[in-house]
Amino acid sequence: MIVFDEVAREGHEQVVFGHDKVSGLRTIIAIHSTALGPALGGTRFYPYPTEEAALADVLRLSKGMSYKAAAAGLDLGGGKAVIIGDPRTDKTERLFRAYGRIVDSLQGRYITAADVGTTTADMDTVRRETRWALGNSVVMGGSGDPSPVTARGLYAASRAVAQKLWGNPDLAGRRFAVQGVGKVGSAFVQLLVEARAVVMAADAFPAVLQTAVDKFGVIPMQGDEIHRVPCEIFSPCALGGGLDETTIPELNCAAVVGSANNQLATEKDAQRLADRGILYAPDFVVNAGGLINVYDELHGYSKTRAMFLVDSIYDATMRVLDTAERDGINPNEAAERVAEARMRDIGDLRRFRRSGDDRN
Ligand code: NAD
């Protein structure tokens, strides 16, 4: 495996490989950038088929976190960690505590949280070895499950999109097609229904969809028709990679606003959406609610302050859509530009030493 070629490609600062013989822990922590602050990003626990696949994933995901934090205006850099293993069978207290000690050795340059395959309870275990583990459970003084907060951010972004497209942020009567009503999707549907929007939804699991029908009165759809249904806003809240050369021509919406990470199969798909006249609100801008929520734990969690910051996703979305319009580029490119400008401009402040022992 040629590690340095991979690492140098996207300019990562540091990659740490950690191992614990007793628990079988194999972890890779990637710090993409600390230009804006400590590198925060979750720990993904996944049975990667190869070490190369694990490294590629952690490098890609950590870079994404730099952009997400920068676009949200947070004083955070981007990092991510992966643990190679099956989360259903390989989790032990020893493994997470050994992992916590490796995280701790980075002294806050990397801060972890839950991600695919890890839970708030797992973060509580990691926390026993390091204070650099966030997304802890509420009883442990943490902010708990971030999903409802992510949904609140989506709602704010949808209002910004409505303002941009129709000159009014009110979502009453607007038709939404929500793909996936799991933790984020169902919380989002609840907010939409409360705002008197019309909601159609689909889920890969019929029982999950039925719960959304029973609780919120959503109109049920088949999984393979939800992206085609005529609506104003299509909301991918399932898995990433769903917007591609096949599905984009089939969309029947004015805008896309959803929580799924990496919705665009390739970079070209942002332009494909723009060419079809569909307004795409970039995923990493609109789904930053969960990140904003755990970030607040760094300051002693205040729900009021976290919700205030999450609601500012309205402004962040508007800033990106306005930049796209002004510069004649698609919103995804605009979001990257906004994030890069912030990393450059604010990151540059660190060159000003405040004292002889200033290490920041
Ligand atoms: P989840 O697993 O609770 O929900 C996803 C739902 O999508 C499940 O109910 C699943 O059955 C359904 N699904 C899967 N494939 C589908 C398909 N083809 N069509 C319809 N439904 C399908 O996950 P979640 O926590 O709600 O996260 C949803 C997405 O948002 C993920 O991509 C996640 O990475 C992203 N995200 C989540 C958060 C958060 O706070 N949970 C934050 C940022 C981004």
Side-chain angles (χ1 to χ4, degrees):
M1 183 177 14
I2 313 286
V3 174
F4 279 109
D5 282 1
E6 291 291 313
V7 173
R9 193 169 300 132
E10 301 290 355
H12 285 72
E13 289 179 13
Q14 188 178 12
V15 179
V16 176
F17 291 76
H19 175 243
D20 173 54
K21 199 171 175 185
V22 175
S23 61
L25 170 70
R26 286 180 299 158
T27 182
I28 311 174
I29 299 172
I31 296 178
H32 174 256
S33 167
T34 55
L36 292 175
L40 200 161
T43 303
R44 185 160 291 194
F45 204 128
Y46 192 77
Y48 291 99
T50 61
E51 290 170 14
E52 284 84 350
L55 178 64
D57 207 32
V58 78
L59 292 176
R60 180 180 65 87
L61 292 166
S62 56
K63 181 182 175 207
M65 292 309 295
S66 294
Y67 280 73
K68 188 184 280 203
L74 304 177
D75 292 330
L76 283 181
K80 200 91 180 182
V82 294
I83 295 177
I84 303 171
D86 187 335
R88 289 167 304 181
T89 52
D90 296 343
K91 287 184 180 180
T92 60
E93 178 183 345
R94 164 85 192 202
L95 179 140
F96 280 119
R97 292 184 73 157
Y99 172 63
R101 294 183 79 83
I102 295 166
V103 170
D104 201 60
S105 72
L106 292 166
Q107 298 180 54
R109 271 179 56 70
Y110 169 67
I111 305 174
T112 199
D115 191 66
V116 173
T118 53
T119 63
T120 50
D122 297 334
M123 286 308 116
D124 292 347
T125 309
V126 176
R127 178 86 183 195
R128 291 168 76 165
E129 300 295 338
T130 180
R131 65 192 178 99
W132 305 114
L134 304 179
N136 299 116
S137 55
V138 175
V139 285
M140 300 299 285
S143 58
D145 177 11
S147 309
V149 188
T150 302
R152 185 175 169 131
L154 279 190
Y155 179 74
S158 304
R159 283 174 54 83
V161 163
Q163 173 66 37
K164 190 81 192 166
L165 285 178
W166 307 299
N168 185 346
D170 193 357
L171 299 179
R174 299 282 173 208
R175 284 163 306 146
F176 282 73
V178 180
Q179 181 181 47
V181 279
K183 293 189 293 292
V184 178
S186 61
F188 183 44
V189 162
Q190 177 167 10
L191 295 171
L192 293 175
V193 167
E194 282 166 11
R196 289 178 290 112
V198 178
V199 184
M200 294 160 279
D203 197 280
F205 287 102
V208 174
L209 179 59
Q210 192 56 45
T211 304
V213 172
D214 296 343
K215 270 174 96 174
F216 309 118
V218 302
I219 303 162
M221 293 281 155
Q222 294 298 326
D224 56 358
E225 75 183 42
I226 190 74
H227 71 280
R228 295 199 196 105
V229 69
C231 62
E232 274 138 338
I233 296 188
F234 171 56
S235 182
C237 293
L239 304 177
L243 299 171
D244 60 23
E245 57 187 341
T246 309
T247 55
I248 291 172
E250 296 175 341
L251 294 175
N252 214 337
C253 58
V256 175
V257 184
S259 73
N261 279 314
N262 305 314
Q263 289 166 30
L264 304 171
T266 67
E267 274 188 17
K268 281 191 196 135
D269 295 308
Q271 198 50 45
R272 269 196 193 104
L273 285 163
D275 292 345
R276 280 216 54 210
I278 295 170
L279 189 64
Y280 173 63
D283 48 14
F284 67 91
V285 176
V286 306
N287 74 10
L291 174 67
I292 294 172
N293 202 43
V294 293
Y295 168 72
D296 199 79
E297 286 184 29
L298 278 177
H299 311 106
Y301 185 63
S302 150
K303 189 162 184 182
T304 312
R305 184 177 52 209
M307 295 310 119
F308 176 78
L309 277 175
V310 169
D311 290 343
S312 73
I313 288 179
Y314 178 100
D315 305 300
T317 306
M318 207 48 115
R319 193 159 47 241
V320 163
L321 299 180
D322 287 345
T323 303
E325 193 173 54
R326 189 196 64 207
D327 296 354
I329 53 179
N330 69 57
N332 208 54
E333 245 179 296
E336 287 177 1
R337 247 184 222 185
V338 166
E340 282 162 6
R342 183 172 164 82
M343 282 189 253
R344 195 176 52 240
D345 296 348
I346 305 299
D348 190 58
L349 276 172
R350 308 281 152 101
R351 285 153 41 110
F352 180 89
R353 295 181 71 82
R354 292 170 297 190
S355 68
D357 59 3
D358 184 0
R359 287 158 204 269
N360 293 316

